[in-house]
Amino acid sequence: ETGVTQTPRHLVMGMTNKKSLKCEQHLGHNAMYWYKQSAKKPLELMFVYNFKEQTENNSVPSRFSPECPNSSHLFLHLHTLQPEDSALYLCASSLGTLNSPLHFGNGTRLTVT
Amino acid sequence: GESVGLHLPTLSVQEGDNSIINCAYSNSASDYFIWYKQESGKGPQFIIDIRSNMDKRQGQRVTVLLNKTVKHLSLQIAATQPGDSAVYFCAEGFNDYKLSFGAGTTVTVRA
């Protein structure tokens, strides 16, 4: 149990589908993040929410749409994805956004066909 | 992040030996550094962090060393065990949440 729970663990979707990834943290943290992890590449920051407010959108295409209804929950809505979007999507949380260690979930392995 | 010159993508270690994983970071202004471990099928797991006002920090079986002069970070694992087999990432940060991650070193422990 990592304290950060992501569902589903695996997702296969076609390019015309709409799906959502869910993340929940049980650590009492105030900041939540979405990262993309592709093979042989460093982790890429996608979005940051601090106290439910989006503070970072790292030039992510609009086919990825985040939602943070409260400090414990984070969603990533997906639509009209491309095959190159296939990757491991990791959610993380931290107590604050200043030099606080990130605590990651186990990710959603996304395959776009 | 990690520069190619000081980063070994793989490391093979005999069980019981000490492991040293190296990382070169790019921003001389970075003031926060962190090591993560990622096992197959799992997300990155926090190991240890260090701030730039320190040059060494110890945890349980792990030690992180920071050399700001040459922008080098290392993680030492004492008495390496089979459960230490994983990918290890370093990350650097400066005054905000935008941690910059390295590509990772895959550590394999030989029995």
Side-chain angles (χ1 to χ4, degrees), chain A residues 9 37 56 98-99 102 106, chain B residues 36 38 41 43 51 95 97:
Chain A
R9 290 298 312 275
Q37 186 175 37
E56 178 79 12
L98 184 63
N99 292 345
L102 303 179
N106 287 326
Chain B
Y36 284 93
Q38 187 172 22
R51 287 172 169 74
N95 210 31
Y97 49 80

Side-chain angles (χ1 to χ4, degrees), chain A residues 36-48:
Chain A
K36 177 182 179 182
Q37 186 175 37
S38 303
K40 309 299 182 185
K41 294 176 67 175
L43 287 170
E44 301 172 52
L45 177 64
M46 299 176 71
F47 301 104
V48 181

Side-chain angles (χ1 to χ4, degrees), chain A residues 92-103:
Chain A
S93 70
S94 64
L95 186 60
T97 55
L98 184 63
N99 292 345
S100 298
L102 303 179
H103 295 259

